Amino acid sequence: MTQTGPHTHSPYRRGADDGFVFGAYLTASFLTIVWSSAVPLLGLVSMLLLAGVPVFIYMRLRRSFVADCGHTLLSSLWMQGIATFACGSLIAGAVATAYLKWIEPDFIIGRLREAIDFYSGSGWERGQEVADTLQRMIDMHLVPSAVAIVVELIWLAIFSGSLVSLLMALLARSRPVRTKL
């Protein structure tokens, strides 16, 4: 637990508060990835946003560590990071679901067709086999729904986020907090 007192919050509360901002961050990442097929420069922006995730988490965890005068336990910082990923992923997941279900419902099929075209013309030894498999997925209606894909992405974000949070919590605690005299 964190230090008790009138100005401290639980790691769950801090994570939920940070999760609102992180949800907007992940939503921006999702939208830049989706729109990068139409605007290729957004592919670079999406890579920069994704590379900035550990920086974002570190800054939030370090802020909490400093606010608690360097007394926050590793487990509390780690839990704050996990809660941040969970809340942020739920927000971005809601936006992604809405986008994939109602705004561009053919997005997933469109990307599969692009992959089929790519593998068919790749000249790769197994490329045609991959293209045929993807085409069979479409023909047999085995393409996962938007909700199924988003749920898997949320689980992936929370799991990978727990690992990132542990590393960033260790890093946030690695430097001592300077106290004002």
Side-chain angles (χ1 to χ4, degrees), residues 6-157:
H7 300 292
T8 61
H9 298 286
S10 77
Y12 307 104
R13 170 65 188 263
R14 285 179 169 166
D17 291 344
D18 292 343
F20 282 113
V21 178
F22 193 54
Y25 187 97
L26 290 177
T27 298
S29 298
F30 169 77
L31 293 175
T32 57
I33 289 168
V34 167
W35 294 335
S36 67
S37 60
V39 182
L41 183 60
L42 289 178
L44 176 62
V45 173
S46 68
M47 294 306 292
L48 292 172
L49 285 172
L50 293 175
V53 167
V55 175
F56 179 92
I57 296 300
Y58 169 78
M59 289 174 26
R60 295 302 174 138
L61 297 181
R62 180 67 185 173
R63 181 189 67 188
S64 295
F65 187 65
V66 169
D68 291 342
C69 301
H71 297 292
T72 314
L73 297 175
L74 175 65
S75 59
S76 289
L77 290 174
W78 188 11
M79 184 50 65
Q80 177 185 340
I82 293 169
T84 300
F85 270 95
C87 293
S89 296
L90 290 173
I91 291 168
V95 172
T97 299
Y99 184 88
L100 295 173
K101 279 189 81 153
W102 297 298
I103 297 173
E104 194 174 346
D106 293 332
F107 179 80
I108 297 165
I109 295 288
R111 297 306 75 75
L112 284 173
R113 289 200 171 109
E114 287 175 7
I116 290 167
D117 292 343
F118 172 78
Y119 284 115
S120 293
S122 70
W124 179 43
E125 183 179 313
R126 310 245 344 206
Q128 190 59 48
E129 187 178 323
V130 171
D132 292 342
T133 301
L134 292 174
Q135 186 60 54
R136 277 194 305 276
M137 277 179 60
I138 293 172
D139 295 342
M140 296 173 72
H141 305 288
L142 297 175
V143 177
S145 69
V147 173
I149 290 173
V150 169
V151 167
E152 292 298 324
L153 289 173
I154 289 170
W155 281 117
L156 174 66

Side-chain angles (χ1 to χ4, degrees), residues 58 62 65 169-176:
Y58 169 78
R62 180 67 185 173
F65 187 65
L170 287 166
L171 191 59
R173 288 180 45 91
S174 67
R175 288 192 353 239

